[in-house]
Structure formats: C-alpha cells, structure tokens
C-alpha cells in the first residue's frame, strides 16, 4: 500500500529552536509539495519540487524556512528559528510527473511552537 | 490567479439525509482540474475525485456524486443517505493543467452527521 510518510507526526518545540520535518514520497513520484494548514489561512502551498529541483517556493517565508530534496526518497522542510506563529499542520504530498494523476497526501506533522 | 470558495463553513444533518457541499471556483485558464478531498478527524487528506475542465459529465460513486457546471463555475458534491462516518472536513481544490499540479484549496466545509 503506497503512501506518503511524514515524520514526526507531532512536534512541540520552544521558540527559537530549529525544526526539521521529513517526508518520504511515494516511490516513483517525482513531484513533491509542502502545504501548511492553519485555522486562519486554511491550506496553503509553501513549496514544490519536480525531479528534486525546487519549482516554486514563493509561499514560504524565506528568512526562516528552507525546503530541500537531498534525494528522490526524502524531502525536508526546516524552520530556523521557529516562532509561535509557525504552529500548524504541515503536509507533504507527492504526485507522478504527468498531468493525469492526483496528489497523495501524508498524514501531516502537527507542529506546536511555544 | 485561481480561487476556490466554499461558502458553507459548517453543515450539520441527521444521518440518512442527503447533503450537498458547494464549491465555486475562479480561473482565467480554460484547462484545469477540480478536486475534492476529505479530511476526517484523524487529520489526513484523502483524495475523493478529480475532474478535468473538458469533462462536464456528472459522476457518481456509490453514495457520492459530483455536479460540475462550467457555466456557473461550480463543482458541487452530494452525499446521499449520509452516514456518521461521513463526518469530516471536505475541501474543494483546483489546479491548472499547464504547469505543475499545485492545488489551490477552498477553506473547507465541516460536515457533521448526527445519529
């Protein structure tokens, strides 16, 4: 049963600490997305990659967020330093490269910054 | 820019009632996909359906049906004979066919089915 795997599922950290969230896309999927879900903003796209190259990260605060794909099986989203307003659920999703497939979402990482 | 509007923030019905979730979208592009995702209390996002802008045929899958009308830019979702397990937040989303498949989501409709 292919699925997107995100770790950790929950993270509580203190303001100012670095946070790293990880995502393992479905094997063979070459497009990876990072979304953030908050009560106020809903689901918003932070960044996405195709074939490990970043295509769009305009939704991401550049000063503290960074997203990378060290290899085809791992995507990371880092926040440094974290702030309370970063508290949200962060979803990773992956899709095959052609236009005929939908994006499959992981279970999300619930981040709380205190 | 694309926009998706789900005007119904919350809906509550009694089990076995039919319920329709509304979705209105905006885009200047003529080729796009529309989606519905379900987010149950456990939190994951579950894909339900994708339709492309060329295909306005309605679709039925068990108790679920979708009504796509380009003339009104709507893609409504109906659950027939609702069940408690249908309780979730439902999101409508849009992505362009040209370019990446990044999704623009509506704000979601929280559906509660009461026994």
């Amino acid at each position: 049963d292919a699925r997107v795997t995100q770790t950790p599922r929950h993270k509580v950290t203190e303001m100012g600490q670095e946070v790293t969230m990880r995502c393992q896309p479905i094997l063979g999927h070459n497009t990876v997305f990072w979304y953030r879900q908050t009560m106020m903003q809903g689901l918003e796209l932070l960044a996405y990659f195709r074939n490990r190259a970043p295509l769009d990260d305009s939704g991401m605060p550049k000063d503290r967020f960074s997203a990378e794909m060290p290899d085809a099986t791992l995507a990371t989203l880092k926040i440094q330093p974290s702030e309370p307003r970063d508290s949200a659920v962060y979803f990773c999703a992956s899709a095959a490269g052609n236009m005929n497939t939908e994006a499959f979402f992981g279970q999300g990482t619930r981040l709380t910054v205190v | 820019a694309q926009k998706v509007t789900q005007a119904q923030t919350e809906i509550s019905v009694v089990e076995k009632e039919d319920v329709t979730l509304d979705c209105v979208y905006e885009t200047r592009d003529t080729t796009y996909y529309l989606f519905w995702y379900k987010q149950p209390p456990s939190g994951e996002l579950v894909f339900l359906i994708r339709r492309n802008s060329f295909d306005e045929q309605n679709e039925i899958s068990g108790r679920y049906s979708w009504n796509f009308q380009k003339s009104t830019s709507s893609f409504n979702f109906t659950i027939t004979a609702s069940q408690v397990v249908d309780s979730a937040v439902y999101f409508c989303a849009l992505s362009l066919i040209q370019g990446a498949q990044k999704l623009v989501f509506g704000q979601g409709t929280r559906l509660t089915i009461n026994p």
Side-chain angles (χ1 to χ4, degrees):
Chain A
D1 183 24
R3 59 178 60 191
V4 176
T5 304
Q6 290 186 247
T7 56
R9 292 290 313 279
H10 303 273
K11 177 71 176 180
V12 179
T13 191
E14 292 186 347
M15 183 173 62
Q17 296 298 305
E18 177 178 300
V19 175
T20 298
M21 291 169 272
R22 293 178 173 79
C23 167
Q24 181 177 357
I26 292 173
L27 190 64
H29 282 189
N30 66 346
T31 304
V32 174
F33 305 86
W34 283 105
Y35 286 87
R36 176 171 63 183
Q37 184 177 31
T38 61
M39 288 295 293
M40 294 300 296
Q41 301 296 328
L43 279 157
E44 50 183 351
L45 179 69
L46 296 176
Y48 73 92
F49 294 77
R50 176 158 291 157
N51 297 321
R52 297 176 54 200
L55 291 189
D56 185 352
D57 61 1
S58 58
M60 209 163 62
K62 300 294 188 303
D63 56 339
R64 299 182 300 107
F65 284 60
S66 62
E68 295 179 345
M69 282 200 73
D71 61 59
T73 64
L74 177 64
T76 62
L77 180 65
K78 289 185 181 180
I79 308 175
Q80 168 62 26
S82 57
E83 297 181 0
R85 58 179 167 152
D86 301 329
S87 297
V89 180
Y90 291 81
F91 286 102
C92 174
S94 73
N98 64 61
M99 292 297 126
N100 294 319
T101 62
E102 63 275 11
F104 292 89
F105 283 77
Q107 292 187 294
T109 294
R110 181 174 295 277
L111 173 67
T112 303
V113 183
V114 297
Chain B
Q2 295 74 47
K3 183 178 180 182
V4 176
T5 302
Q6 294 178 255
Q8 304 150 309
T9 304
E10 293 191 32
I11 299 175
S12 181
V13 300
V14 176
E15 199 172 18
K16 296 183 184 176
E17 286 186 18
D18 298 348
V19 59
T20 295
L21 309 181
D22 297 333
C23 173
V24 174
Y25 62 92
E26 297 174 31
T27 179
R28 292 182 179 177
D29 285 74
T30 57
T31 55
Y32 48 88
Y33 286 116
L34 295 165
F35 301 79
W36 277 94
Y37 281 84
K38 174 182 180 180
Q39 187 173 41
S42 52
E44 72 272 27
L45 281 161
V46 179
F47 167 80
L48 295 179
I49 190 173
R50 184 192 70 216
R51 301 307 302 273
N52 73 53
S53 52
F54 301 116
D55 184 3
E56 284 192 73
Q57 283 205 3
N58 292 332
E59 182 156 340
I60 298 174
S61 176
R63 296 184 296 106
Y64 295 172
S65 62
W66 291 269
N67 184 327
F68 175 28
Q69 292 195 346
K70 275 180 105 168
S71 60
T72 56
S73 297
S74 65
F75 186 43
N76 297 337
F77 173 30
T78 297
I79 301 175
T80 302
S82 59
Q83 300 176 2
V84 173
V85 294
D86 296 326
S87 297
V89 180
Y90 290 86
F91 291 93
C92 181
L94 177 148
S95 73
L96 301 181
I97 290 180
Q98 297 301 319
Q101 298 123 298
K102 53 180 181 176
L103 293 159
V104 174
F105 284 90
Q107 287 295 99
T109 297
R110 181 177 298 279
L111 176 63
T112 302
I113 311 297
N114 299 299

